[in-house]
Amino acid sequence: MNDRLHATAAPHPAIELERRWGADNYHPLPVVLTRGEGVWLWDSAGRRYLDMMSAYSAVSFGHGHPALVAALVEQAGRLAVTSRAFHSDRLGPFLERLCMLTGMDRALPMNSGAEAVETALKAARKWGYKVKGIAAGRARIVVAAGNFAGRTTTIVGFSSEAQYRDGFGPFAPGFDTVPFGDAAALEAAIGDDTCAVLLEPIQGEAGIVVPPPGYLRAAREICTRRGVLLICDEIQTGLGRTGRRLALDHEGVVPDGLTLGKALGGGLLPVSAFLARADVMAQFTPGDHGSTFGGNPLAAAVGLAALDVMEREGLAERAAASGERLMAGLRALAHPAVREVRGRGLLVGVELAPDFASARVVCEALMAEGVLTKDTHGTVVRLAPPLVIAPAQIDFAVAAFASALRACGG
Ligand SMILES: *Cc1c(COP(=O)(O)O)cnc(C)c1O
């Protein structure tokens, strides 16, 4: 039905302009959004949608959260960007709060998630040379198959996704890939030159892949015993998304390095950070690393306000309860096209049977039902709404999912 809608409706002029003047590196759903409030989005025709994607978890607090918008506006009018050539009155309090909430010693602010991961890679390698004594130029980092850590050339170089790499080499060497969720394989890949293991506690872009229980605890134990840093990428899973402040908290694991991003910007700005143990962060000295915009007063004010909102509104606890309701509702549909409902908190993936409509077509049908989300990896529909979502809104999403499956012939 949506294919017909595609073929007959004249494309919106805003879509035409993007097509004419933009790069073709995304395949958005054919909707032009003009306004957002809380869990709701409105398109150019005034139609309302429930946001079940929250910009890949960047909008965990909902669109236009009043406290965050107020922090943004107030700070923007006072002082926004200074560069790190000077101190500002906003950065210190933000870094302190970040460290207190995550249990890490030090924080280095960046902007995008990919930059935070690049920062982690640099810190890990230098720690490997200066502290562990790895011979110059030989440091290696173990990563998991199915990883997603951003789109820079070094990061796509260790992706196991062919399309992310194709045409973009040559790539930086020094990465070893192991299957995700297999602790024995992880240990076997660690050699004398390994400085770090980089893991997502739950792989988001790979299709909401939750590792077996105990995997992260085993990874922690292996890294400690073998003298290797455990660096966890919580850019998508962190800040309440999975029902705890960090997804690592489910297994009581404290990493040596941690990346945060997405929701850290309150859904208003790009704000990311690399956090670490003191001796790891101590590898950076003046001139080693930096970012023109990283840690600017505006980002620091909004980031601090975002952390306050997460705590004050109990968003991790709400995500835990809402995630249970969402997954229980989807499983209760007992639909033959639904092969698996998996996830943690409000990071949920619905795996569709391979002979059913593609996840993309199901997302188009969901859009017709007033729910916006995106497919990941062909057969998985991602459901990751703002953490402020109310129970009745979750029930609306579940009912819309049932209708969308029916519309796709199920
Ligand atoms: C989104 C994401 C990134 C990259 O963040 P950008 O802000 O898009 O650069 C890195 N790691 C994980 C786990 C992510 O989900």
Side-chain angles (χ1 to χ4, degrees), residues 2-323:
N2 272 275
D3 284 336
R4 219 183 325 124
L5 194 123
H6 260 302
T8 53
H12 189 282
I15 295 179
E16 285 292 276
L17 285 171
E18 283 189 26
R19 284 204 185 125
R20 167 62 185 84
W21 298 102
D24 196 22
N25 61 328
Y26 275 95
H27 181 33
L29 290 175
V31 60
V32 178
L33 300 173
T34 57
R35 193 162 70 83
E37 191 185 319
V39 297
W40 300 106
L41 289 163
W42 283 265
D43 73 7
S44 51
R47 209 168 159 237
R48 190 178 79 158
Y49 303 86
L50 182 64
D51 183 359
M52 288 298 285
M53 230 250 324
S54 47
Y56 301 97
S57 298
V59 186
S60 282
F61 310 97
H63 297 275
H65 190 292
L68 301 180
V69 172
L72 177 88
V73 169
E74 196 276 329
Q75 188 63 41
R78 199 144 61 84
L79 180 65
V81 174
T82 52
S83 88
R84 298 287 305 277
F86 315 106
H87 297 281
S88 83
D89 61 347
R90 298 286 88 193
L91 181 56
F94 173 50
L95 299 180
E96 177 186 38
R97 194 96 164 90
L98 255 181
C99 290
M100 299 300 267
L101 276 179
T102 57
M104 305 303 285
D105 295 330
R106 302 267 177 168
L108 194 164
M110 299 294 283
N111 312 284
S112 68
E115 287 174 302
V117 174
E118 291 277 355
T119 305
L121 300 175
K122 287 173 76 172
R125 284 177 174 167
K126 196 165 178 197
W127 177 89
Y129 298 124
K130 306 290 177 184
V131 177
K132 190 168 172 176
I134 297 170
R138 298 189 56 92
R140 305 194 66 79
I141 295 172
V142 177
V143 299
N147 68 75
F148 183 84
R151 300 295 200 152
T152 61
T153 50
T154 293
I155 287 172
V156 297
F158 62 77
S159 172
S160 50
E161 194 61 31
Q163 195 202 344
Y164 295 175
R165 300 164 53 92
D166 183 34
F168 301 127
F171 301 115
F175 296 95
D176 298 300
T177 306
V178 295
F180 183 60
D182 181 341
L186 179 78
E187 172 138 35
I190 294 175
D192 293 341
D193 292 336
T194 304
C195 61
V197 169
L198 172 67
L199 291 176
E200 295 156 80
I202 294 173
Q203 290 187 331
E205 297 316 295
I208 323 296
V209 181
V210 184
Y215 175 65
L216 300 167
R217 224 173 311 126
R220 173 67 280 178
E221 186 275 319
I222 291 164
C223 287
T224 303
R225 182 160 44 75
R226 301 291 301 272
V228 167
L229 302 176
L230 175 64
I231 298 178
C232 289
D233 181 351
E234 294 237 29
I235 288 167
Q236 184 155 171
T237 54
L239 305 180
R241 172 56 56 186
T242 70
R244 305 290 293 265
R245 276 180 195 160
L246 298 178
L248 286 172
D249 293 344
H250 288 287
E251 294 203 357
V253 167
V254 179
D256 305 304
L258 173 72
T259 53
L260 293 175
K262 293 197 167 113
L264 191 56
L268 297 171
L269 291 171
V271 182
S272 70
F274 169 62
L275 297 106
R277 229 168 58 189
D279 64 310
V280 177
M281 197 66 91
Q283 298 312 313
F284 288 122
T285 57
D288 279 359
H289 190 57
S291 159
T292 302
F293 286 96
N296 68 70
L298 189 59
V302 171
L304 180 62
L307 296 172
D308 281 342
V309 168
M310 177 182 73
E311 292 296 288
R312 195 169 61 233
E313 300 191 4
L315 292 185
E317 294 75 11
R318 281 166 72 178
S322 299

